[in-house]
Amino acid sequence: MNLEKLQSQKLGLVLSGGGVRGMAHIGVLKAMEEFGLEAKIVTGSSVGALVGALYANGTSVLDMMRFFKETPLFKYNYFALAKPGLIDTERYIDIFKSYFPHDSFEGLKKELHVVATNLELGEEEFITKGELIKPLLASAALPPVFSPVRYKDMLYADGGIMNNFPSEPVVGKVDFVIGSNVSIVSKSQKKDLNNSIQLTGRVTGLMIYAINREKIDKCDLLFEPRELEHIGILDRKGLEKAYAIGYETATKKFKTLRSTD
């Protein structure tokens, strides 16, 4: 499909989890804006839910990056006391209210779906109406770093635990699905698997990758830059680099589509 035809389609956008690497999503959004592409329905998990909410709110790319730079999501100074997590996730509520003062899905300018994991029921849950901030925090509450979020009298955590690429809400509702997957799995060496923490991280990453691979491959257009593998999911120094990788990858692809017009 060429760019001109793509511009006339009803687009759905799927944004994966992946920590700091999620800034690549913002780079993709910047490229989409420059090439006249706008998604009507957005769905995301973890950091993808946060980026998706900012996009659905009409927040500029510049302000999206400011949000992640100023909001201490990747800073370890919000330690939790007497909670099951190193960082008290609910301390972010007031910060989020400055970006989402309406605190509701209905207050957004686009249809948004976020997925979070209900720890008590052991189920994934899609949320698309009502209160906004707590579901966003829940979707991004990666254990054991962030404490679970109490929402509707139940405990929720990172959506990526059970669904890191939540494409389900856009299937059959749009003409064309654009996916941005930043949970990259690269080859590993023995030296990178010499303790239990490294091994656990590797196994978890492989499980998430395998579970979501089929859905990822069904996207009509997918951005999955391998260069992101060199950026740690909690490495704040990689914010700008991840953004640049996402932008450059999407720009190259859109230029290719335009050349076929």
Side-chain angles (χ1 to χ4, degrees):
M1 182 179 292
N2 60 35
L3 184 64
E4 184 178 2
K5 186 174 181 180
L6 187 58
Q7 290 168 339
S8 66
Q9 301 292 297
K10 182 178 181 181
L11 304 179
L13 180 65
V14 187
L15 304 175
S16 78
V20 169
R21 296 173 181 175
M23 299 309 97
H25 295 325
I26 303 178
V28 170
L29 291 174
K30 177 62 174 175
M32 287 176 60
E33 178 184 301
E34 292 181 351
F35 284 85
L37 299 172
E38 180 180 356
K40 298 299 183 183
I41 304 177
V42 189
T43 175
S45 180
S46 196
V47 70
L50 301 181
V51 174
L54 291 166
Y55 180 58
N57 200 43
T59 304
S60 69
V61 165
L62 182 63
D63 285 337
M64 287 185 200
M65 289 300 293
R66 183 178 294 116
F67 171 86
F68 286 100
K69 289 177 181 178
E70 294 180 353
T71 304
L73 285 166
F74 308 115
K75 291 181 180 178
Y76 301 123
N77 60 348
Y78 273 40
F79 290 106
L81 297 176
K83 285 196 174 185
L86 296 177
I87 299 177
D88 185 354
T89 309
E90 294 191 17
R91 288 189 63 184
Y92 295 103
I93 290 177
D94 287 340
I95 299 173
F96 274 50
K97 282 184 177 177
S98 65
Y99 286 85
F100 306 103
H102 49 79
D103 191 16
S104 71
F105 281 85
E106 290 77 12
L108 299 172
K109 298 177 181 178
K110 299 179 184 294
E111 181 179 332
L112 173 70
H113 301 259
V114 304
V115 64
T117 300
N118 186 317
L119 294 176
E120 296 180 50
L121 297 179
E123 299 174 351
E124 66 179 67
E125 185 172 324
F126 280 96
I127 308 169
T128 189
K129 62 182 179 180
E131 185 179 0
L132 174 67
I133 292 175
K134 280 195 174 181
L136 290 180
L137 288 171
S139 184
L142 176 66
V145 178
F146 296 94
S147 66
V149 173
R150 182 159 291 280
Y151 170 67
K152 293 186 176 180
D153 293 325
M154 303 200 84
L155 288 177
Y156 289 79
D158 197 295
I161 296 171
M162 300 190 76
N163 193 340
N164 200 51
F165 195 80
S167 59
E168 291 87 345
V170 300
V171 174
K173 295 181 67 175
V174 297
D175 302 316
F176 195 92
V177 178
I178 297 175
S180 179
N181 179 41
V182 298
S183 289
I184 307 300
V185 173
S186 58
K187 291 183 179 180
S188 187
Q189 299 179 354
K190 289 182 180 179
K191 66 180 178 65
D192 299 319
L193 301 171
N194 58 10
N195 61 56
S196 59
I197 294 177
Q198 290 177 330
L199 180 60
T200 299
R202 176 64 172 174
V203 170
T204 301
L206 289 172
M207 289 172 62
I208 290 174
Y209 183 81
I211 290 169
N212 292 280
R213 189 69 252 168
E214 184 177 351
K215 292 190 294 179
I216 291 169
D217 289 338
K218 286 183 178 179
C219 289
D220 298 302
L221 179 62
L222 175 67
F223 298 108
E224 194 176 43
R226 309 304 303 183
E227 298 90 336
L228 292 172
E229 67 187 25
H230 304 298
I231 300 174
I233 63 172
L234 294 175
D235 181 11
R236 282 184 58 83
K237 294 180 181 179
L239 289 168
E240 290 286 354
K241 184 176 181 180
Y243 167 81
I245 290 171
Y247 175 73
E248 290 167 8
T249 300
T251 297
K252 287 179 182 178
K253 182 61 179 178
F254 292 143
K255 283 183 177 178
T256 300
L257 292 177
R258 186 168 61 186
S259 67
T260 62
D261 288 352

